[in-house]
Amino acid sequence: MQSRREDIRNLAIIAHVDHGKTTLVDALLKQSNVFRANEQVGALILDSNPLEREKGITIMAKNASVEYRGVRINIIDTPGHADFGGEVERVLNMADGCLLLVDAVEGPMPQTRFVLRKALEMGLHAIVVVNKIDRPNARIDEVIHETSDLFLDLATVENQLDFPVVYANARDGYASLQPGATSGDMQPLFETIITYTPGPECDRHRPFRMLVTTLQYDNFRGRTAVGRITDGAVHPGESIIRFDHGGVASTHRVAQVYGFQGLGRVELAEGVAGDIVAITGIPDVLIGETLAEPSVAEPLPVITIEEPAMKMTFRVNDSPFAGREGQFVTSRQLRERLYREVETNVALRVEDGETADAFVVSGRGELHLAILVETMRREGYEFAVTRPEVILRHGDHGREEPFERLYIEAPESATGFLIETLSGRRAQMIGMHSGQDGAVRIDFDVPTRGLIGFRDTFISGTGGEGIMNTEYMGYRPWAGEIQRHRNGALVAAETGTAVSYGIANAQERGMLFIEPGTDVYTGMIVGLHSRENDLDVNVCKTKQLTNIRSSTSDIAIKLTPPAPPSLERSLSLIGPDEMVEVTPKSVRLRKTELNPTLRAREAKRAKFAAAGVA
């Protein structure tokens, strides 16, 4: 018989990026006596990944647990960026309620809509937390009104419109039921969670079933399956079956069962329906599979994840510098690592490419793929990647492509520039209104491929004062061709070490990425040309020695400081005939074809083909 457990609350924290989810979790953990009184724990405790701390965003969903008045509150911290929506979709299956964080100044943002829609579709009970109420320009009443409108748009049943509101300053660790609070603790939020979040609905007497929503790895215990027990109970040492994605069952023996306590895990003698547990002993288990008692005939419904919208090709590095800096450089090692990533990164797809040393990787967006590239680079892998491109498909309207809703907030003086630039990228403006602070809010529907490389243009065009966010809108009819929006490349004409004299000559032709002493090879991109065509330059050229000397001639050489692009900018900067060479120590841009003679021949052939000449 189904009943609700009153000693547990399973709660997901959802919000737009940078609205304070992880900071709020910090406050809940610290005030529930998870840590010793003298323990130094710092901030952003759950952001354990170095990349998360560097970028200031949550990438992987994580579990923690706190105790309050005899009730165990299992907290699931979720990513806030749209590119990691796959993490949100799968972990919401473990929750019965959610805390929706909204910034007291920014209000609901595009990702707020995305995560709230997913939560309400799953029937979660929402608690709205208006965070950062201490900000001088907080507009609390307007934000609550905007949030109510959002619930009106997204609610699937009437009772979802009746949600409690808590006002918080997560950084200073206090919450209140009144918007004017300036001090206190998190007790009002704890009480609201206990009151409004229902306990998990489960049946202890039915056979054990659990859907695997997360995988963890342990050097001693191997792969660990994490999920919420739907029915029954599980014990260490007993036999269970695992239904794979094809519905085929295999028998395994449970090694250990762990529960979550604070930031760590504790071994349990029994995991009961409603508990979020980690189970070891199933070596090949994957996310979305069902673990159950041998008497169970049918697996639980598989988690459905939205399909990827962007892809790029990972290739073995074949540059002259290949193997200098990387520990893992072969196609076998690259293949193993990419297919291992698919096991935990459910929104990712990997396919073998046209050659044995190439692999096509599909993900949600540029950042999703860039994080994978950066992670592998830090693990010691060396490889090359092509420019991200959208995944096209044939649908009811013929050729279709993914679209994004682009939300821009920028100075009013940049309006003309933005409309003109985005029109060239096949965007359609769907709304515009001016704010009280002199900023303008413009909304566009734009093809995803029209946003590739747009961020740099946006930052320079708005003087760094603009804010842009996107929301995935699904597939729509093909919008038409989009012209290239980048100047040509300055390409190294020979292999060697760049010197001041050669760089001084080359910098007159454009902007350089390198400095004296940098090793370069033929076909490596060393900068951007000031014109639209590519140009070969010799940055290794040295000054001819003569009998005539001048004490000031060499001193007079003035070099412009180089502007090497970051990994993310490199991915959006390269053209169709270019690649990014990624090693643990370096990020280099290069032409796919390094030989300048073959490259020129191919360019001439493409020019004739475009002109219709046989």
Side-chain angles (χ1 to χ4, degrees):
M1 180 179 176
Q2 292 280 353
S3 60
R4 291 198 179 272
R5 291 183 60 179
E6 294 303 322
D7 60 332
I8 285 183
R9 300 292 186 273
N10 294 323
L11 190 74
I13 300 186
I14 58 178
H16 184 82
V17 65
D18 202 31
H19 278 199
K21 295 180 304 301
T22 307
T23 306
L24 183 70
V25 175
D26 286 357
L28 295 176
L29 289 169
K30 290 174 181 176
Q31 294 189 26
S32 58
N33 299 320
V34 167
F35 308 107
R36 300 188 309 272
N38 63 341
E39 189 172 356
Q40 297 295 319
V41 293
L44 304 178
I45 301 164
L46 281 188
D47 281 351
S48 52
N49 186 323
L51 264 178
E52 293 180 317
R53 289 188 171 271
E54 287 176 24
K55 294 184 176 292
I57 60 173
T58 301
I59 297 171
M60 300 294 292
K62 304 174 190 69
N63 296 75
S65 175
V66 300
E67 294 275 343
Y68 180 77
R69 289 205 291 115
V71 177
R72 184 165 78 253
I73 303 174
N74 291 316
I75 300 172
I76 308 158
D77 187 19
T78 65
H81 196 284
D83 279 15
F84 307 105
E87 292 285 309
V88 178
E89 291 173 61
R90 65 180 174 85
V91 298
L92 288 182
N93 285 271
M94 294 191 288
D96 299 293
C98 64
L99 289 184
L100 177 68
L101 255 72
V102 183
D103 190 294
V105 175
E106 296 181 354
M109 299 291 279
Q111 183 67 0
T112 313
R113 173 180 287 272
F114 171 80
V115 292
L116 181 60
R117 182 174 69 243
K118 293 295 180 185
L120 296 182
E121 285 174 358
M122 294 181 179
L124 302 188
H125 296 251
I127 298 171
V128 173
V129 179
V130 180
N131 193 26
K132 306 184 184 181
I133 59 173
D134 60 315
R135 293 180 66 174
N137 50 349
R139 48 186 193 95
I140 296 174
D141 292 338
E142 295 175 46
V143 166
I144 293 174
H145 183 71
E146 292 170 5
T147 306
S148 299
D149 290 343
L150 188 61
F151 272 85
L152 277 171
D153 287 344
L154 302 178
T156 56
V157 292
E158 188 176 342
N159 65 2
Q160 290 176 339
L161 299 176
D162 184 20
F163 53 86
V165 179
V166 178
Y167 307 91
N169 178 353
R171 184 192 60 192
D172 293 340
Y174 65 84
S176 172
L177 301 181
Q178 303 300 324
T182 56
S183 62
D185 55 25
M186 282 291 169
Q187 183 175 348
L189 180 56
F190 278 121
E191 292 290 346
T192 305
I193 292 171
I194 299 296
T195 304
Y196 287 93
T197 303
E201 192 173 21
C202 48
D203 190 343
R204 167 70 191 274
H205 303 290
R206 294 182 65 181
F208 163 71
R209 292 192 305 169
M210 183 185 99
L211 187 68
V212 179
T213 52
T214 306
L215 291 181
Q216 297 178 350
Y217 288 89
D218 189 296
N219 291 333
F220 301 100
R221 301 177 180 87
R223 192 174 300 185
T224 303
V226 179
R228 190 180 84 175
I229 300 176
T230 305
D231 297 307
V234 63
H235 307 84
E238 70 181 11
S239 294
I240 61 171
I241 58 173
R242 161 197 161 212
F243 290 99
D244 65 15
H245 290 149
V248 179
S250 57
T251 303
H252 302 270
R253 184 173 297 278
V254 176
Q256 292 103 4
V257 179
Y258 294 94
F260 292 90
Q261 182 174 346
L263 298 177
R265 300 189 308 198
V266 292
E267 193 163 354
L268 303 176
E270 177 185 54
V272 184
D275 287 339
I276 294 177
V277 297
I279 296 176
T280 64
I282 303 92
D284 300 321
V285 66
L286 297 174
I287 289 172
E289 297 182 342
T290 298
L291 305 181
E293 277 191 18
S295 60
V296 174
E298 291 290 330
L300 292 164
V302 178
I303 303 170
T304 57
I305 302 292
E306 288 183 4
E307 291 298 311
M310 196 167 284
K311 65 181 180 181
M312 64 196 301
T313 301
F314 285 58
R315 286 179 38 174
V316 171
N317 185 20
D318 61 354
S319 83
F321 294 169
R324 284 190 180 185
E325 301 171 349
Q327 181 181 357
F328 308 107
V329 298
T330 67
S331 60
R332 178 184 61 81
Q333 292 168 330
L334 185 60
R335 187 180 194 278
E336 287 178 355
R337 176 63 181 84
L338 289 173
Y339 277 95
R340 188 167 74 243
E341 181 70 20
V342 178
E343 296 176 358
T344 55
N345 197 336
V346 292
L348 207 69
R349 304 283 186 275
V350 177
E351 301 168 352
D352 290 343
E354 297 178 356
T355 60
D357 61 356
F359 308 93
V360 179
V361 181
S362 306
R364 281 288 182 87
E366 283 183 274
L367 183 60
H368 189 201
L369 295 170
I371 290 293
L372 172 62
V373 173
E374 180 66 31
T375 301
M376 291 176 59
R377 172 193 175 196
R378 295 185 181 204
E379 292 173 358
Y381 286 84
E382 180 179 316
F383 51 94
V385 293
T386 63
R387 181 187 186 186
E389 56 185 62
V390 299
I391 300 173
L392 305 178
R393 72 180 188 188
H394 287 276
D396 298 335
H397 303 91
R399 185 159 62 157
E400 296 179 343
E401 63 176 328
F403 268 70
E404 311 270 345
R405 177 70 51 81
L406 175 64
Y407 303 88
I408 288 178
E409 188 173 323
E412 198 163 346
S413 57
T415 303
F417 162 78
L418 291 170
I419 293 175
E420 181 182 357
T421 303
L422 286 165
S423 296
R425 294 171 178 264
R426 300 289 179 176
Q428 290 187 339
M429 187 172 68
I430 59 172
M432 181 173 68
H433 62 270
S434 299
Q436 299 177 352
D437 54 356
V440 63
R441 164 80 177 268
I442 318 175
D443 301 340
F444 294 89
D445 280 352
V446 57
T448 301
R449 62 194 168 96
L451 291 177
I452 296 176
F454 173 67
R455 186 172 293 275
D456 282 341
T457 305
F458 173 76
I459 291 172
S460 60
T462 60
E465 297 182 26
I467 300 172
M468 60 175 279
N469 289 287
T470 59
E471 179 187 0
Y472 178 65
M473 301 300 291
Y475 277 79
R476 295 182 182 178
W478 171 261
E481 294 296 334
I482 296 176
Q483 296 300 315
R484 182 182 180 185
H485 295 277
R486 197 204 78 184
N487 287 346
L490 296 176
V491 186
E494 67 175 53
T495 301
T497 302
V499 296
S500 299
Y501 186 75
I503 289 178
N505 291 330
Q507 73 182 11
E508 297 175 2
R509 302 302 188 103
M511 178 182 69
L512 290 183
F513 300 151
I514 63 170
E515 59 186 0
T518 304
D519 290 335
V520 301
Y521 55 80
T522 305
M524 176 176 160
I525 298 172
V526 296
L528 288 182
H529 194 194
S530 57
R531 302 176 184 271
E532 292 189 359
N533 62 300
D534 293 341
L535 181 69
D536 289 343
V537 294
N538 186 2
V539 292
C540 304
K541 182 179 180 181
T542 56
K543 187 176 182 180
Q544 294 297 322
L545 299 178
T546 66
N547 291 335
I548 302 172
R549 300 190 180 190
S550 169
S551 61
T552 59
S553 60
D554 290 337
I555 299 174
I557 295 177
K558 293 184 179 180
L559 299 182
T560 304
S566 64
L567 173 61
E568 288 174 41
R569 182 165 181 254
S570 297
L571 294 176
S572 62
L573 196 63
I574 56 175
D577 63 336
E578 298 165 357
M579 295 194 301
V580 179
E581 178 186 348
V582 182
T583 76
K585 297 180 181 178
S586 309
V587 175
R588 304 184 186 97
L589 279 66
R590 52 164 284 189
K591 289 291 184 180
T592 303
E593 175 54 64
L594 299 178
N595 188 313
T597 305
L598 296 178
R599 205 164 58 241
R601 189 180 301 164
E602 185 62 34
K604 186 179 294 184
R605 188 181 294 120
K607 183 178 179 181
F608 284 143
V613 179

